Amino acid sequence: MSTVKDQSEQLNHAQNIIVIHPGSHYLRIGRASDVNPVKILHAIARRRKPGGETHRDGVLPQVVEKTKELLQELEDCRLQITHTLQSCVQSNGQRRYATPPQQIAAFNRRSQPEVVPDSQTDWSDKESRDVVIGEDVLLLNPNGEYNVHFPIRRGELNLHTGVGGSLFAVMSDLQTIWEHVLYNRLDIKPSDMRQYRAVLVIPDIYNRAHLREYVTLLLKQIGFGCCFLVQDHVAATFGAGLGYACVVDVGDEKTSISCVEDGISHPNTRVRFDYGGADVTQVFYWLLQKCAFPYRESNEQTPLDGILLRRLKEDFGHVNLDVCGSVEKSFSVQHPGMPKRNYTLQVGDEAMVAPLSIFFTELLAITGANRTAPKTHNRCSSQPHPEDCFDAEYLRETGRRNKDNLEQSAIDSGALANTDAPDEDLVVDGLEQEREAKSNDRDYLLPGGQLVGLDQAVIQSIERCSTDELKRKMYSCILIVGGGIKFAGISSWLQSQVARKIPAVYRSEQSIVSSPKDMDPEITSWKGAAVMSCLESVVELWLTEPEWTRYGLRILREKAVFMW
């Protein structure tokens, strides 16, 4: 009887906990008791003021200018991947074969769309709404009077110099989107918000100043009763039911890796790259165009076309070595103001080349993503903040000032001779950390300045573990999460590539987990945060609004579940 009562109390408790996982493309938010979260496009459109500046964030990242040199680099990498695939064998031992791209292009050039009569719809701009949220943003006329904002880009707050790019504007956009879901999709009344608790999933490499804004948003602006923060990789291990794992998280616009053990993400192993599934989509689009993509009017910067290309990549893309030659596929295009059109096309190894661009990163040059230096723990999370009196920068500066004052007082009193001996700072000033962070960046870059492939990045992350035993554990359990590389066969490819490169001493049974408990890898981190929030051991972690008002960032140093 008491067991039933306990379960009932636990359910009621979970129903009052809201788990929020904000991403660059989607927002996932729901009660801890829900099987799946609400998932909406993490975008907002605001009606432009008369004569106001125009700003439209795209669904996909911009492609860089296709110079002759860039096209040659892309083509060289495409051929390299094609040759690699041709040297592979199928599961029956036979060599793979491929249909020549010219043959596929000839078919696609002949393909004409089938127009569906009486299927035309209108753009939704005619409505008088000043603010449009989520998927409705896609139905606005791209040339209309709305500015479109994605508040998070490449895993960070989308701060820029254009209209709506200030910290205040971005946080306002987040508040509007999140409150829309809370009030309209989760049916929570604004007056009842204090009865609810919030769990926010944050990146494993975080910006302290941004965390401060997030907590203020949850407790003061939205008005939750209390909250706590959890890193996405730590949450992923809880969602997968694993005590330890090397977590590989490939999202829409960022890829991050770190080694997690017993709920702690080891700082030295953390790295984040500014590429993800959206960059793979642009690679796939370039490959489709090379073989005469029949939807010739497509424009990847138009929201609906960006979403279409994303869907085609997910539907067509795979790393299944048993699929050879060309495959006939079909898709539909329906834009407001135009009738629906059905297309047929052929696609060959392009469906495999695009997903493999995260291993052969020269292809990511199409968006410039392979030229941005990776972010490591020290570079991204150690920004000083005046509210935190234990901040390393604060201690360094006050230590120096105190030392200078003491020395000046001693000199004035004649107690200390003014010698030319070298100074020795009382507090390590963080320069060593800075040098180490720059060294980390170099480790994740090839000599030409390009990023290493995902397999090499996994190995370098694990090799930063402090002990041989920990390295052995991490090699034995690699967890793939995120929606950026949900391709059939991708985990087998990663496993084979890692197995070829790991040091011989650690070559034991590798285990790559890509869909733990048959769960969609997109929601593994969200699910893990929901599981964590219901544990008895997290009672001490909840942060209340009065505590936040009184102590600010200092309270996170005490209560955060990660090393501050």
Side-chain angles (χ1 to χ4, degrees), residues 2-3 56 72 133 136 168 215 228 297 437 490 519 522:
S2 59
T3 306
R56 288 193 184 90
Q72 187 61 50
I133 292 168
D136 290 348
F168 177 80
V215 176
F228 79 77
E297 308 82 16
I490 197 79
M519 189 190 308
E522 283 189 30

Side-chain angles (χ1 to χ4, degrees), residues 63 136 138 228 233 254 268 278 286 304 307 309 349 364 370 424 459 463-464 474 491 560:
V63 294
D136 290 348
L138 303 174
F228 79 77
H233 291 189
K254 77 169 175 66
N268 289 341
W286 173 71
L304 281 175
I307 293 294
L309 292 169
D349 274 359
L364 299 176
N370 70 327
E424 292 182 7
I459 288 170
E463 284 300 309
R464 293 186 181 282
M474 294 303 159
S491 58

Side-chain angles (χ1 to χ4, degrees), residues 92-324:
N92 60 9
Q94 294 182 347
R95 293 184 72 87
R96 293 191 75 254
Y97 62 89
T99 303
Q102 299 85 346
Q103 185 177 325
I104 293 174
F107 176 91
N108 290 339
R109 284 194 191 94
R110 294 193 302 271
S111 177
Q112 295 297 320
E114 174 199 340
V115 179
V116 180
D118 303 322
S119 59
Q120 189 164 319
T121 58
D122 293 324
W123 296 105
S124 64
D125 293 48
K126 296 174 182 178
E127 300 179 30
S128 59
R129 291 181 291 173
D130 288 332
V131 177
V132 180
I133 292 168
E135 275 70 16
D136 290 348
V137 170
L138 303 174
L139 301 178
L140 299 173
N141 191 325
N143 302 313
E145 53 189 27
Y146 284 87
N147 285 342
V148 177
H149 306 278
F150 281 78
I152 296 179
R153 281 276 127 120
R154 302 293 185 194
E156 293 273 350
L157 294 180
N158 185 19
L159 306 179
H160 54 83
T161 56
V163 62
S166 68
L167 181 60
F168 177 80
V170 172
M171 297 311 295
S172 297
D173 287 343
L174 286 175
Q175 180 178 351
T176 304
I177 298 170
W178 295 5
E179 286 183 340
H180 168 80
V181 180
L182 290 167
Y183 302 159
N184 299 299
R185 300 289 295 275
L186 299 182
D187 298 321
I188 298 174
K189 296 177 183 175
S191 57
D192 293 339
M193 285 308 306
R194 283 278 172 231
Q195 300 172 22
Y196 288 84
R197 301 164 174 242
V199 179
L200 181 67
V201 181
I202 62 167
D204 64 317
I205 293 180
Y206 52 85
N207 182 312
R208 286 180 182 169
H210 293 177
L211 293 198
R212 177 178 180 271
E213 297 299 327
Y214 277 129
V215 176
T216 301
L217 171 63
L218 293 172
L219 297 179
K220 290 183 171 291
Q221 264 78 49
I222 297 178
F224 282 103
C226 53
C227 73
F228 79 77
L229 312 179
V230 58
Q231 289 166 298
D232 48 6
H233 291 189
V234 172
T237 59
F238 275 87
L242 300 171
Y244 58 86
C246 174
V247 181
V248 181
D249 184 353
V250 185
D252 197 62
E253 292 194 351
K254 77 169 175 66
T255 294
S256 54
I257 304 168
S258 79
C259 295
V260 179
E261 182 188 35
D262 297 332
I264 298 293
S265 168
H266 291 275
N268 289 341
T269 67
R270 297 178 199 161
V271 65
R272 188 175 80 211
F273 304 106
D274 283 345
Y275 67 77
D279 301 277
V280 176
T281 301
Q282 287 286 29
V283 171
F284 187 53
Y285 182 44
W286 173 71
L287 293 168
L288 287 177
Q289 288 175 306
K290 280 183 69 66
C291 56
F293 187 44
Y295 174 32
R296 296 171 185 87
E297 308 82 16
S298 62
N299 177 0
E300 80 274 16
Q301 288 307 312
T302 301
L304 281 175
D305 281 346
I307 293 294
L308 169 70
L309 292 169
R310 191 177 192 274
R311 193 177 75 243
L312 295 185
K313 174 204 68 177
E314 292 172 351
D315 291 349
F316 298 174
H318 66 88
V319 191
N320 183 352
L321 296 172
D322 287 347
V323 177
C324 302

Side-chain angles (χ1 to χ4, degrees), residues 19 32 235 238-239 517 525-536 538:
V19 181
F238 275 87
K517 304 178 180 178
S525 293
W526 181 89
K527 200 72 176 175
V531 170
M532 272 190 76
S533 68
C534 299
L535 299 176
E536 290 182 14
V538 302

